[in-house]
Amino acid sequence: MILTPHTAAFAWFVLTLSVCCAVFASLHALLTKPDPRSAFSWIVLCWLFPLGGAIFYGLFGINRVRARARQLRGELSNPRIPVRVATDATPPDHLMRIGDAVTQWARVPGNVVESLENGENAFPPMLAAIAAAERTVWLATYIFETDAVGQQFIQALAAAVARGVQVCVLIDGVGEWYSWPRAVPELRRAGVWAQRFLPPRLWPPRLSLNLRNHRKLLLVDGKVGFLGGMNIGGREVGKPGARRMADLHFRVRGPVVQQLGESFRIDWLFTARESLSVPQAPPSCGSGVCRVITEGPDEDNDKLLSVIVGAVSLAQEQLLLMTPYFIPPPELTSALQSAALRGVDVTLVLPERSNLRYVDWACRRWLRPLLERGVNVLLQPAPFAHTKLLVMDGSYAQIGSANLDPRSLRLNFEIALEVYDPATCRLLAQYIIAARDRSKVLTTATLSATGSWELARNSLFWLLSPYL
């Protein structure tokens, strides 16, 4: 093929542009990525597909949230003000010290944490709290469906607005698309102040699929809070079916509600550019010592992972874990293996089938090294178990929105609550043990019986698991 001068010039232009884009994207990944595996993968992609890889990196690989958050916070006077409450009544131990070192929140005594199983037990008290609100209702969720359940919340929120309550609703800009019609327009038509967190847009272009607000919070009058794994929608209630989920949500009372309010305030400030006034901490009402842990790509990462690995490493007798998605980072895998090898009863309860089949396939490759070191893995039958729980030695628990996968531990905005309360932790341990007893035991023999096609498929998604 003979190239004309114009064709040759265009070819050289495309080649030069591709190389320049690959160089720029590679340098950006090399200098900004906190994980060398992530940096290496992006660099390889940029050079295998110089122009396409660089464009893909520009869309999905650059953390614009951190820069925007720092710019916003630089214009304001320290929007993250730690809530400090004396905790002399609780002697510190090694796990408490880890949380003290890596989080910005203090341990707070005097709280009550109640578990609410499934939407039929969680949504009525949430709606009742909204109906009784006198000053503020702050709601954050990843998914807000506009089905019959969602309409109950819209009506309750609109009624609160009508009687003069300050109502702020924050919905993730990608999670909103899980339902049609979308929730934000419906809420606004009802008079509710609703905002989207980083919604995709064409101009100026923004497609932050990896930087999602996965937190689920409902705070009423600064007195009571709800958090956990439940979104707003009908899949959380009703008869078992293809869309039904089993989940656990939590009602929290006590001084730690102020920390939950501070977390919402920061998210609202980031999204709506308006600062809310967090109510004073409510009085003590129980024996639980709690602490909020926030995790997100707008700040130093790995706080949540550090606390989880610390809890696993300090377990002496029993470690119970329940998560809907399990793609563990290497440090968590090593900690779980070490705990099992030193005689700790390590139990991991996963759904037999989640709503994301490719995550299930990738997960299977991560399980063999754990099984070979004595970790007990159970697969829970339908309905899909969406619960996120960690209970250590019946005295420490961690609840909240985070899954044990790279998306939650590295990319999403998540919230967790540490609970130091033996009575609450025993109940949560019983919940996991009951799920374990009705689940199927996974063994290395079961994994070895996997066919060659399934093994190849699982291995492919395992290779891609850091990006799932």
Side-chain angles (χ1 to χ4, degrees):
M1 179 180 178
I2 300 176
L3 298 179
T4 66
H6 292 292
T7 304
F10 180 74
W12 276 108
F13 171 77
V14 172
L15 178 61
T16 303
L17 178 64
S18 300
V19 171
C20 291
C21 289
V23 169
F24 178 81
S26 299
L27 287 174
H28 189 280
L30 185 65
L31 296 174
T32 62
K33 290 298 174 186
D35 187 341
R37 295 163 297 178
S38 174
F40 179 77
S41 299
W42 281 115
I43 291 171
V44 169
L45 179 67
C46 289
W47 285 102
L48 284 178
F49 309 97
L51 187 57
I55 293 174
F56 196 75
Y57 175 75
L59 290 174
F60 300 103
I62 298 176
N63 185 351
R64 297 177 177 85
V65 173
R66 181 177 300 170
R68 180 180 172 188
R70 289 177 175 172
Q71 180 184 15
L72 174 59
R73 290 174 184 166
E75 300 171 1
L76 300 163
S77 56
N78 188 19
R80 185 180 290 277
I81 304 172
V83 181
R84 298 294 173 187
V85 180
T87 58
D88 297 336
T90 304
D93 62 10
H94 296 299
L95 184 56
M96 288 182 176
R97 289 172 185 155
I98 293 174
D100 291 343
V102 302
T103 74
Q104 75 273 23
W105 310 107
R107 288 172 277 122
V108 183
N111 305 285
V112 174
V113 178
E114 304 170 69
S115 58
L116 305 169
E117 187 175 1
N118 297 329
E120 51 264 37
N121 295 309
F123 291 156
M126 292 169 70
L127 290 167
I130 295 171
E134 298 176 350
R135 298 188 306 276
T136 61
V137 174
W138 298 348
L139 173 64
T141 186
Y142 179 62
I143 298 172
F144 194 127
E145 296 189 71
T146 52
D147 56 12
V149 171
Q151 291 299 327
Q152 292 182 57
F153 276 87
I154 293 173
Q155 292 168 13
L157 294 167
V161 171
R163 62 178 185 270
V165 176
Q166 179 197 60
V167 179
C168 303
V169 177
L170 182 61
I171 302 175
D172 184 77
V174 171
E176 185 192 15
W177 287 89
Y178 280 75
S179 178
W180 190 265
R182 293 182 296 159
V184 170
E186 298 238 340
L187 286 162
R188 289 175 176 172
R189 280 195 292 270
V192 177
W193 193 12
Q195 294 285 341
R196 298 182 177 96
F197 185 91
L198 289 181
R201 65 188 182 198
L202 295 176
W203 191 261
R206 182 172 66 200
L207 189 61
S208 303
L209 295 180
N210 284 335
L211 305 172
R212 309 317 323 157
N213 193 328
H214 197 240
R215 296 166 184 164
K216 291 95 174 178
L217 279 176
L218 172 62
L219 305 170
V220 177
D221 290 340
K223 296 179 179 179
V224 60
F226 297 83
L227 81 159
M230 287 191 199
N231 295 292
I232 305 297
R235 71 184 70 192
E236 305 283 359
V237 299
K239 298 179 179 179
R243 297 179 70 251
R244 174 63 197 264
M245 292 182 176
D247 213 335
L248 207 60
H249 221 56
F250 300 90
R251 177 166 48 195
V252 182
R253 299 180 187 274
V256 79
V257 173
Q258 188 182 40
Q259 290 188 358
L260 297 174
E262 182 69 15
S263 173
F264 183 92
R265 184 187 77 87
I266 293 167
D267 287 346
W268 189 261
L269 175 67
F270 176 82
T271 305
R273 301 295 299 267
E274 184 159 353
S275 184
L276 302 174
S277 178
V278 179
Q280 292 185 349
S284 298
C285 59
S287 59
V289 176
C290 297
R291 184 211 320 265
V292 166
I293 303 175
T294 52
E295 178 77 86
D298 64 325
E299 51 191 318
D300 294 333
N301 286 20
D302 296 339
K303 291 185 298 185
L304 187 55
L305 179 60
S306 295
V307 176
I308 292 173
V309 170
V312 174
S313 301
L314 293 169
Q316 298 297 314
E317 297 179 2
Q318 186 183 64
L319 183 73
L320 303 172
L321 291 161
M322 179 179 284
T323 182
Y325 312 113
F326 184 70
I327 300 178
E331 51 267 53
L332 179 56
T333 297
S334 299
L336 291 169
Q337 290 173 319
S338 298
L341 288 171
R342 67 174 185 270
V344 177
D345 172 19
V346 182
T347 296
L348 174 63
V349 181
L350 305 173
E352 185 175 26
R353 182 187 180 109
S354 77
N355 62 333
L356 302 176
R357 292 298 289 151
Y358 56 87
V359 175
D360 298 340
W361 299 331
C363 173
R364 297 300 185 263
R365 276 294 304 271
W366 286 103
L367 295 178
R368 179 180 289 276
L370 297 176
L371 292 170
E372 291 174 343
R373 294 295 184 267
V375 175
N376 304 304
V377 179
L378 290 302
L379 301 180
Q380 190 173 353
F384 166 43
H386 194 246
T387 303
K388 309 100 164 38
L389 271 181
L390 181 154
V391 183
M392 184 197 78
D393 291 340
S395 60
Y396 170 83
Q398 192 179 111
I399 61 178
S401 63
N403 305 307
L404 296 180
D405 63 4
R407 189 167 296 278
S408 278
L409 297 176
R410 304 278 188 187
L411 300 173
N412 284 347
F413 294 80
E414 304 282 0
I415 190 165
L417 187 71
E418 289 187 294
V419 181
Y420 296 86
D421 181 36
T424 301
C425 294
R426 281 194 296 269
L427 293 175
L428 297 178
Q430 291 171 9
Y431 179 86
I432 299 178
I433 291 170
R436 179 196 66 186
D437 292 344
R438 62 176 179 266
S439 300
K440 301 176 183 178
V441 178
L442 184 68
T443 64
T444 54
T446 305
L447 292 177
S448 298
T450 303
S452 56
W453 157 246
E454 288 81 3
L455 182 61
R457 176 201 63 196
N458 295 351
S459 298
L460 173 62
F461 283 94
W462 168 80
L463 186 65
L464 300 173
S465 60
Y467 311 104
L468 297 181

